[in-house]
Amino acid sequence: GCERCQCRGEDKQTAILYTLLSQNLARRPAHRRCLCHRRRTVCLRTPHLTCQAASNVLGKTISFMKNLPSFRLLPREDQLLLLESCWVPLFLLGLVQEMVTFEVMETPAPSMLKKILLDGQSQQQEPERTQPTLAAVQRLQCCLNSFWSLDLSPKEYAYLKGAILFNPDIPGLRTSLYIESLQQEAQRALQEVLQPEDQGRFARILLIASTLKSIPPALITDLFFRPIIGNADIVELITEMLYEITSEQLAH
């Protein structure tokens, strides 16, 4: 919303025109496009290409988890908790590793004439989807750029993914002590990859990795996957991906 936005009075002609036209809208609150640059909603400039690349990265992320024996040995309840908590930072790390870049543009606004003609009918059919803000996407891109500046090696990526996945601080875990030992093992392996004179790099990697956890799952879902999955629950979909049983497995 624009309740705290100071841009309402910046374009009085637009405001007057909107007021006149919106009188025909049937008892609906007067929503205006925010004129404040960073609060404007955005969408992918090339959704077909970017969503396909994101889907490939998500598939590789789930495969990484499925192929870890130490993950498969955990109780299913713990696997699900780790999946729900860690899929976003792992996916973002995959974007970095696969060098997936993307551009956004301002979300096209429905025309005033269309709003008047529809007169609220479309709202009863399907809820309006949320769109990411420019500010949120810029925070995400800043995070990705920080990782690219580290220029991680394949081994560093692998051990960092393990350190992120095995997070013992998630509430409700049955085997949190064992998961903590797995995280420490991954961090120790990551540290051993580095040269003794480059231990400052280890701290930088962990510090930048911690920023991935600040990216909201809703932002990632709305930006990269909503155009493909619609209103489906992304966690349900990735859970199905994790536990899918192939025909080859059934044959055995």
Side-chain angles (χ1 to χ4, degrees), residues 105-248:
M105 63 181 186
E106 189 173 351
T107 308
S111 68
M112 185 60 65
L113 178 61
K114 182 178 178 181
K115 287 183 179 180
I116 294 171
L117 292 176
L118 289 176
D119 199 23
Q121 295 172 20
S122 61
Q123 283 197 343
Q124 299 172 2
Q125 296 171 2
E126 141 179 352
E128 203 172 313
R129 291 178 186 168
T130 56
Q131 292 286 347
T133 64
L134 178 61
V137 172
Q138 286 176 336
R139 282 195 298 271
L140 169 60
Q141 290 179 321
C142 180
C143 210
L144 298 179
N145 288 335
S146 297
F147 259 107
W148 277 316
S149 70
L150 290 172
D151 193 22
L152 298 180
S153 68
K155 283 187 176 181
E156 287 173 328
Y157 275 117
Y159 296 139
L160 180 57
K161 286 177 183 178
I164 290 174
L165 172 61
F166 296 116
N167 178 7
D169 299 325
I170 299 170
L173 289 172
R174 289 171 51 189
T175 57
S176 57
L177 289 178
Y178 175 57
I179 290 171
E180 183 177 16
S181 70
L182 293 174
Q183 184 183 65
Q184 291 173 348
E185 184 181 330
Q187 290 178 346
R188 189 162 50 248
L190 174 60
Q191 197 165 14
E192 288 173 358
V193 170
L194 304 173
Q195 298 299 324
E197 67 272 12
D198 200 14
Q199 288 306 302
R201 178 176 170 82
F202 176 71
R204 287 199 305 276
I205 291 174
L206 292 186
L207 179 63
I208 295 177
S210 68
T211 65
L212 296 178
K213 298 177 183 179
S214 69
I215 305 296
L219 170 63
I220 301 305
T221 304
D222 291 338
L223 186 62
F224 295 111
F225 300 109
R226 197 60 70 198
I228 299 175
I229 68 173
N231 294 323
D233 187 324
I234 185 69
V235 174
E236 289 182 7
L237 293 178
I238 59 179
T239 301
E240 290 176 11
M241 292 170 65
L242 183 63
Y243 295 117
E244 66 181 353
I245 301 175
T246 64
S247 55
E248 188 175 328

Side-chain angles (χ1 to χ4, degrees), residues 6-18 32 35:
Q6 301 301 313
C7 69
R8 282 186 176 271
E10 289 181 4
D11 190 346
K12 293 187 177 177
Q13 287 185 339
T14 303
I16 293 170
L17 177 63
Y18 184 90
R32 285 188 57 213
L35 300 176

